[in-house]
Amino acid sequence: MFLQGLKNHAVTMFEVGKLADESLDSFLAELEKVVPEEEIQGEALRYFHHAINLRKLVRFLRHNPALAVENPLSTEPSGGLGVDLLRCESLRGLDQASLNRVLKKNYSLLLSLAPMSNEARPVCPLVPPHIGCPIPEVHSIWFRLFVYTLIDSHPATVVYRKGEVLKTLPKVFLDYDYLMLIPWGHDSAVIPTSIALSLVNDALRHHPVLLQAHGASVDADLVYVPFPMSTAENADPSSFESHPAVRKLRDVLNLNTTCGYITLMNMSSSAVRHGRRSAFAEMEDGNDSDSLSVKSEESLLGERKMEKDSDWLVVECTYGIPVFLESLSDEICRRIVANRICSGENLTRLEEANRDTAQLLLEFIISHQDQSLRISFTHGPPGLETEDGKDVVAVPTRTLSVLHGRIK
């Protein structure tokens, strides 16, 4: 499935850090050759879907008049803007001043793909406008905690500082067969509660850790709610956009100025009444967290009806256009055009919304860790620095638990 021509483009992206617009015709031609094979499954099937969705997304963005004609920063003709694919890790090799200069000189608009690996730190400039994470800290467990303090519909969650040793799991987790484990700077994993204590303590030797209730099955019942969303007062009450927590996040974070999706999980008893097998039986069957987006793809977009909003909890809010689910990506692209996200008027609102969200999140981080930090605007977008002016990535230094919107 992974053709030699596609490998060459992957090597270029890794070594150079960019696929320029001039090379995208060749790149898209190679993606056309990617076809499914009957024996493809698991991780390989996931990569296949990503390749197909990336191909559609590049075609949507590239030279699309609906995305460029409204952009006051663009000097391109009305036929639309060209597209470069950039690798965040390569951009991070530049100092902040050089990075700002390169982006401002070469680009009219930045748009993030999602989800990004937790091992990567996103690039979030003020100029050019960025449709994606307002600041890098949004792509961390800090933002998940912050979101939960804005609402009361979320899974029980605890963040442990690095080096802590647990003698027992909190009682709030004992009602669940599975937990979500997210070490700082690493991707999440769904783990059986029966062996969670040893796995958490092992991870805490190297990183702070977020531990979260997941449910009675590896295959959680998930729904993705895309944004921007409708603001109609007479919206269908059975729509997932009408969920009180979703509406609250839409308004507080100004999500209608940008794009992305909110993940909801069904934690009701009816969601798992199909049978609760032991954790070890699930593992022997070969189930893992990577299979979630493949198994239940048909219902993930939320086209079904929401019977009871209290059954559905917000798991996370993700900025950017996803490449893992075709229907979700297509819907977000449609809404970008319909809501004129790339218009000059909206890009001005987007900059203000990003600043407001960044300010709220950084204040939250400062108030819930032990270092003496302050907010800095030295490099353009807000960031954290020590009292002597050194930039810093703030990691959790306290054990924090959040339940029903309250943190302690």
Side-chain angles (χ1 to χ4, degrees):
M1 185 192 75
F2 206 78
L3 307 174
Q4 183 59 44
L6 206 53
K7 288 183 179 179
N8 293 338
H9 288 293
V11 170
T12 300
M13 176 65 90
F14 181 80
E15 294 183 348
V16 180
K18 177 175 78 171
L19 284 183
D21 185 70
E22 294 79 11
S23 66
L24 290 190
D25 285 332
S26 172
F27 178 61
L28 291 173
E30 293 297 334
L31 286 176
E32 286 285 359
K33 301 175 184 178
V34 177
V35 294
E37 300 173 4
E38 291 184 1
E39 65 271 17
I40 290 179
Q41 56 184 340
E43 193 82 358
L45 182 59
R46 189 161 66 98
Y47 288 145
F48 166 75
H49 287 299
H50 285 198
I52 299 302
N53 295 337
L54 179 60
R55 183 181 67 199
K56 290 186 64 176
L57 181 57
V58 171
R59 285 178 173 165
F60 165 77
L61 296 173
R62 198 172 180 223
H63 305 297
N64 186 340
L67 303 182
V69 70
E70 298 282 356
N71 187 352
L73 299 178
S74 173
T75 59
E76 297 279 338
S78 59
L81 295 166
V83 172
D84 287 352
L85 299 181
L86 305 178
R87 182 172 175 263
C88 280
E89 292 89 338
S90 299
L91 293 174
R92 279 288 168 193
L94 301 173
D95 64 82
Q96 191 64 46
S98 298
L99 175 61
N100 290 342
R101 186 167 57 251
V102 167
L103 294 178
K104 183 177 181 180
K105 177 182 177 181
N106 293 286
Y107 300 105
S108 298
L109 184 69
L110 296 183
L111 196 154
S112 291
L113 302 185
M116 185 182 293
S117 168
N118 285 342
E119 297 182 8
R121 186 169 168 84
V123 173
C124 307
L126 286 179
V127 178
H130 177 219
I131 301 175
C133 289
I135 53 173
E137 285 78 6
V138 168
H139 189 64
S140 74
I141 59 180
W142 281 120
F143 187 61
R144 188 176 290 226
L145 284 181
F146 169 68
V147 164
Y148 293 165
T149 64
L150 301 177
I151 56 179
D152 58 8
S153 300
H154 60 83
T157 303
V158 179
V159 170
Y160 298 101
R161 58 181 176 81
K162 176 184 174 182
E164 188 163 355
V165 177
L166 305 187
K167 295 182 179 180
T168 183
L169 291 176
K171 292 181 180 179
V172 69
F173 293 140
L174 300 182
D175 291 333
Y176 302 94
D177 288 344
Y178 289 90
L179 304 176
M180 177 75 75
L181 174 69
I182 309 179
W184 177 272
H186 293 271
D187 291 333
S188 62
V190 178
I191 61 174
T193 305
S194 57
I195 59 173
L197 187 61
S198 61
L199 295 177
V200 171
N201 279 329
D202 184 59
L204 284 171
R205 295 168 56 194
H206 309 284
H207 316 279
V209 165
L210 181 145
L211 193 62
Q212 183 172 86
H214 186 72
S217 172
V218 172
D219 297 320
D221 185 9
L222 300 177
V223 160
Y224 299 120
V225 182
F227 56 84
M229 307 175 200
S230 170
T231 56
E233 294 295 333
N234 58 346
D236 183 357
S238 64
S239 165
F240 285 92
E241 284 192 9
S242 298
H243 192 292
V246 170
R247 294 203 311 267
K248 179 73 174 293
L249 293 179
R250 179 198 68 192
D251 296 338
V252 174
L253 302 179
N254 295 299
L255 296 181
N256 278 358
T257 63
T258 184
C259 72
Y261 57 95
I262 295 172
T263 304
L264 297 176
M265 179 166 59
N266 191 342
M267 297 288 279
S268 68
S269 58
S270 61
V272 294
R273 65 177 176 229
H274 57 275
R276 304 178 73 177
R277 296 184 295 167
S278 72
F280 293 105
E282 293 266 0
M283 294 175 68
E284 289 170 359
D285 287 345
N287 293 332
D288 56 49
S289 60
D290 289 334
S291 65
L292 293 179
S293 62
V294 176
K295 291 185 177 180
S296 53
E297 187 167 313
E298 293 79 8
S299 60
L300 282 173
L301 188 54
E303 296 177 349
R304 53 184 164 157
K305 299 296 184 180
M306 179 180 62
E307 295 181 1
K308 190 177 180 183
D309 60 53
S310 59
D311 289 341
W312 293 89
L313 306 181
V314 172
V315 178
E316 61 181 335
C317 177
T318 306
Y319 290 83
I321 301 182
V323 294
F324 65 92
L325 188 65
E326 183 178 7
S327 57
L328 181 60
S329 178
D330 289 348
E331 179 61 19
I332 290 177
C333 288
R334 186 193 69 78
R335 295 186 185 199
I336 287 175
V337 174
N339 290 271
R340 301 173 62 196
I341 294 299
C342 297
S343 70
E345 181 181 359
N346 184 72
L347 292 179
T348 300
R349 292 199 300 265
L350 173 65
E351 180 179 347
E352 296 174 356
N354 283 349
R355 281 186 177 274
D356 291 344
T357 299
Q359 183 86 15
L360 290 172
L361 176 57
L362 294 178
E363 289 174 353
F364 172 83
I365 294 173
I366 290 174
S367 65
H368 290 96
Q369 54 85 54
D370 296 325
Q371 293 177 277
S372 181
L373 303 177
R374 64 189 182 192
I375 299 176
S376 167
F377 296 90
T378 304
H379 302 301
L384 292 174
E385 66 178 17
T386 60
E387 293 295 336
D388 56 0
K390 294 181 180 179
D391 293 339
V392 64
V393 177
V395 299
T397 58
R398 307 174 187 169
T399 294
L400 302 169
S401 62
V402 57
L403 188 64
H404 304 306
R406 297 181 180 180
I407 191 168
K408 60 180 181 179

